Amino acid sequence: LDRALRLGEEAVQLDAVSQVAQGCLAVTLFLRGDYDRATVEAQRAVDLNPRNALWQGLMGLYLCQLGDTERGLPMVREAVRLSPHPPTWFHMAFFYDHYHNGRYEEALADARQMDWDGDFRIPLFVAASYGQLGRAEEATPALAELEALWTLPVEDLRPELIERHAIAPELTDRLLEGLAKAGLEGLSGS
């Protein structure tokens, strides 16, 4: 990430109107945890070409993960409008909004729209939603898939979600609460 940051900053210096350079710098900052600067750089990337669905969606998703759905959701909705075949990861922004606001049926529907084989977050989202709905038995297949994909200790889920996936701590804790209600063992307080 240090090298990516250096190269991203150099790319922006070489071409200040390159949406790709600006977007890559924003993604790097986001992954480094420099969220304030990342959102500034992300907005610059979007401002350079507001009709680019990829950057609109990606930057909107990042804002939603950080808990800023007020700014993020309109960006993702615009990305969906701009894209004739939007990628399923756009649904993650809607999932975060629904889950955070206690609309667990809607969150579950959004989680089921995401199609990324091998990504532990999808069964995590499904199981957490079922857990919050009080339907632990229905969460069993998702928990089994999560346990097959997540090979590290369960207590490592929280730092993974916060530090590597930049999901806001409050939202992360609510996801873990849902997993505990679904029956995932090994979580603190479960």
Side-chain angles (χ1 to χ4, degrees):
L1 286 175
D2 290 341
R3 183 171 180 238
L5 177 61
R6 184 176 40 79
L7 293 172
E9 289 173 336
E10 286 176 18
V12 169
Q13 287 175 1
L14 290 171
D15 188 354
V17 295
S18 169
Q19 182 183 32
V20 173
Q22 198 71 54
C24 289
L25 176 59
V27 169
T28 301
L29 290 165
F30 188 80
L31 294 173
R32 288 175 55 93
D34 190 348
Y35 304 128
D36 291 337
R37 185 170 170 212
T39 55
V40 169
E41 301 298 338
Q43 188 60 54
R44 286 185 185 144
V46 171
D47 290 344
L48 287 167
N49 181 3
R51 299 194 48 78
N52 184 307
L54 172 65
W55 294 115
Q56 280 275 6
L58 188 60
M59 300 313 158
L61 172 60
Y62 284 165
L63 289 170
C64 289
Q65 284 178 203
L66 293 172
D68 189 354
T69 55
E70 188 174 312
R71 285 191 321 165
L73 281 177
M75 293 174 81
V76 176
R77 286 188 185 107
E78 178 64 7
V80 169
R81 188 188 72 74
L82 291 169
S83 180
H85 304 287
T88 62
W89 58 263
F90 282 2
H91 286 278
M92 192 181 296
F94 304 123
F95 169 84
Y96 291 139
D97 179 54
H98 291 310
Y99 193 92
H100 177 75
N101 289 298
R103 297 185 302 265
Y104 301 118
E105 286 288 352
E106 292 91 341
L108 179 60
D110 285 316
R112 292 189 172 285
Q113 293 292 317
M114 296 179 239
D115 182 22
W116 317 323
D117 287 335
D119 190 313
F120 77 96
R121 290 173 294 175
I122 307 310
L124 185 152
F125 295 160
V126 170
S129 296
Y130 275 130
Q132 294 290 13
L133 288 166
R135 295 162 42 192
E137 286 183 24
E138 293 175 74
T140 302
L143 284 177
E145 184 180 355
L146 173 61
E147 289 173 345
L149 293 171
W150 183 257
T151 58
L152 298 174
V154 172
E155 59 268 11
D156 289 350
L157 275 172
R158 187 175 195 278
E160 173 77 11
L161 293 171
I162 293 172
E163 295 166 15
R164 293 212 46 227
H165 296 280
I167 299 174
E170 178 187 337
L171 180 56
T172 295
D173 290 341
R174 292 200 48 208
L175 287 166
L176 296 178
E177 173 186 277
L179 289 176
K181 289 178 180 180
L184 184 64
E185 295 181 12
L187 293 170
S188 59
S190 64

Short mmCIF file of all heavy atoms in Angstrom, two decimals, residues 2-3 12 35 58 62 69 89 92 94 128 136 142 146 148 152-153 166 183:
data_model
loop_
_atom_site.label_atom_id
_atom_site.label_comp_id
_atom_site.label_asym_id
_atom_site.label_seq_id
_atom_site.Cartn_x
_atom_site.Cartn_y
_atom_site.Cartn_z
N ASP A 2 2.03 1.19 0.62
CA ASP A 2 2.92 2.36 0.59
C ASP A 2 3.35 2.66 -0.85
O ASP A 2 3.34 3.82 -1.27
CB ASP A 2 4.15 2.13 1.47
CG ASP A 2 3.83 2.10 2.95
OD1 ASP A 2 2.75 2.62 3.33
OD2 ASP A 2 4.64 1.57 3.72
N ARG A 3 3.71 1.63 -1.56
CA ARG A 3 4.12 1.81 -2.96
C ARG A 3 2.94 2.30 -3.81
O ARG A 3 3.10 3.19 -4.64
CB ARG A 3 4.67 0.49 -3.52
CG ARG A 3 5.18 0.61 -4.92
CD ARG A 3 5.92 -0.66 -5.34
NE ARG A 3 6.39 -0.51 -6.70
CZ ARG A 3 6.06 -1.31 -7.68
NH1 ARG A 3 5.28 -2.35 -7.47
NH2 ARG A 3 6.53 -1.10 -8.89
N VAL A 12 -1.29 11.25 -10.18
CA VAL A 12 -2.15 12.44 -10.11
C VAL A 12 -1.34 13.70 -10.42
O VAL A 12 -1.82 14.61 -11.08
CB VAL A 12 -2.85 12.52 -8.74
CG1 VAL A 12 -3.52 13.87 -8.53
CG2 VAL A 12 -3.88 11.39 -8.62
N TYR A 35 -9.54 7.72 5.54
CA TYR A 35 -10.88 7.90 4.98
C TYR A 35 -11.21 9.34 4.63
O TYR A 35 -11.87 9.60 3.63
CB TYR A 35 -11.93 7.32 5.92
CG TYR A 35 -11.68 5.87 6.24
CD1 TYR A 35 -11.65 5.43 7.55
CD2 TYR A 35 -11.45 4.94 5.23
CE1 TYR A 35 -11.41 4.10 7.86
CE2 TYR A 35 -11.20 3.61 5.52
CZ TYR A 35 -11.18 3.20 6.83
OH TYR A 35 -10.93 1.89 7.12
N LEU A 58 -18.28 2.70 -7.06
CA LEU A 58 -17.23 2.36 -6.12
C LEU A 58 -17.12 3.40 -5.02
O LEU A 58 -17.06 3.06 -3.83
CB LEU A 58 -15.89 2.21 -6.85
CG LEU A 58 -14.73 1.68 -6.04
CD1 LEU A 58 -15.02 0.30 -5.50
CD2 LEU A 58 -13.47 1.66 -6.91
N TYR A 62 -17.99 2.95 -1.00
CA TYR A 62 -17.06 3.25 0.07
C TYR A 62 -17.69 4.20 1.10
O TYR A 62 -17.54 4.00 2.30
CB TYR A 62 -15.77 3.86 -0.48
CG TYR A 62 -14.84 2.85 -1.12
CD1 TYR A 62 -13.81 3.27 -1.92
CD2 TYR A 62 -14.99 1.49 -0.92
CE1 TYR A 62 -12.95 2.35 -2.51
CE2 TYR A 62 -14.14 0.57 -1.50
CZ TYR A 62 -13.12 1.01 -2.29
OH TYR A 62 -12.26 0.11 -2.86
N THR A 69 -24.32 7.11 4.19
CA THR A 69 -25.26 6.71 3.14
C THR A 69 -25.94 7.92 2.50
O THR A 69 -26.39 7.83 1.36
CB THR A 69 -26.32 5.73 3.68
OG1 THR A 69 -26.97 6.33 4.80
CG2 THR A 69 -25.69 4.41 4.08
N TRP A 89 -22.08 -6.17 -7.10
CA TRP A 89 -21.52 -5.55 -5.89
C TRP A 89 -22.17 -4.21 -5.58
O TRP A 89 -22.06 -3.72 -4.46
CB TRP A 89 -20.01 -5.46 -5.93
CG TRP A 89 -19.38 -4.69 -7.05
CD1 TRP A 89 -18.88 -5.21 -8.21
CD2 TRP A 89 -19.16 -3.28 -7.12
NE1 TRP A 89 -18.36 -4.20 -8.99
CE2 TRP A 89 -18.53 -3.01 -8.35
CE3 TRP A 89 -19.44 -2.22 -6.26
CZ2 TRP A 89 -18.16 -1.73 -8.74
CZ3 TRP A 89 -19.09 -0.94 -6.66
CH2 TRP A 89 -18.46 -0.70 -7.88
N MET A 92 -24.26 -4.10 -2.47
CA MET A 92 -23.67 -4.02 -1.14
C MET A 92 -24.02 -2.68 -0.47
O MET A 92 -24.30 -2.63 0.72
CB MET A 92 -22.16 -4.21 -1.20
CG MET A 92 -21.56 -4.43 0.17
SD MET A 92 -19.76 -4.65 0.18
CE MET A 92 -19.57 -6.14 -0.74
N PHE A 94 -26.72 -0.90 -0.89
CA PHE A 94 -28.11 -0.97 -0.45
C PHE A 94 -28.24 -1.90 0.76
O PHE A 94 -29.01 -1.62 1.68
CB PHE A 94 -29.01 -1.43 -1.60
CG PHE A 94 -28.88 -0.56 -2.82
CD1 PHE A 94 -28.53 -1.10 -4.04
CD2 PHE A 94 -29.07 0.82 -2.75
CE1 PHE A 94 -28.40 -0.31 -5.17
CE2 PHE A 94 -28.93 1.62 -3.86
CZ PHE A 94 -28.59 1.05 -5.07
N ALA A 128 -26.15 -13.02 8.96
CA ALA A 128 -26.42 -11.93 9.90
C ALA A 128 -27.85 -11.41 9.74
O ALA A 128 -28.52 -11.12 10.73
CB ALA A 128 -25.41 -10.80 9.72
N ALA A 136 -32.76 -18.25 12.89
CA ALA A 136 -31.45 -18.89 12.95
C ALA A 136 -31.38 -20.18 12.14
O ALA A 136 -30.35 -20.47 11.53
CB ALA A 136 -31.07 -19.16 14.41
N ALA A 142 -25.89 -20.67 5.26
CA ALA A 142 -24.99 -19.52 5.09
C ALA A 142 -23.86 -19.59 6.12
O ALA A 142 -22.70 -19.28 5.79
CB ALA A 142 -25.76 -18.20 5.21
N LEU A 146 -19.98 -19.70 5.31
CA LEU A 146 -19.06 -18.75 5.93
C LEU A 146 -17.91 -19.49 6.61
O LEU A 146 -16.74 -19.12 6.45
CB LEU A 146 -19.80 -17.86 6.93
CG LEU A 146 -18.94 -16.94 7.78
CD1 LEU A 146 -18.17 -15.94 6.92
CD2 LEU A 146 -19.81 -16.19 8.80
N ALA A 148 -16.74 -22.36 5.93
CA ALA A 148 -15.86 -22.98 4.93
C ALA A 148 -14.94 -21.94 4.28
O ALA A 148 -13.79 -22.25 3.95
CB ALA A 148 -16.72 -23.67 3.86
N LEU A 152 -9.82 -18.43 9.29
CA LEU A 152 -9.13 -17.86 10.44
C LEU A 152 -10.02 -17.96 11.68
O LEU A 152 -11.21 -18.27 11.57
CB LEU A 152 -8.77 -16.40 10.16
CG LEU A 152 -7.82 -16.16 8.99
CD1 LEU A 152 -7.68 -14.67 8.72
CD2 LEU A 152 -6.47 -16.80 9.24
N PRO A 153 -9.50 -17.68 12.87
CA PRO A 153 -10.35 -17.69 14.06
C PRO A 153 -11.51 -16.69 13.92
O PRO A 153 -11.35 -15.62 13.33
CB PRO A 153 -9.39 -17.27 15.19
CG PRO A 153 -8.03 -17.60 14.68
CD PRO A 153 -8.09 -17.41 13.19
N ALA A 166 -12.94 -1.91 5.52
CA ALA A 166 -13.34 -0.54 5.87
C ALA A 166 -14.83 -0.38 6.13
O ALA A 166 -15.43 0.59 5.74
CB ALA A 166 -12.88 0.43 4.78
N GLY A 183 -26.30 -18.02 15.40
CA GLY A 183 -25.71 -19.21 15.99
C GLY A 183 -24.23 -19.39 15.75
O GLY A 183 -23.68 -20.45 16.08
#
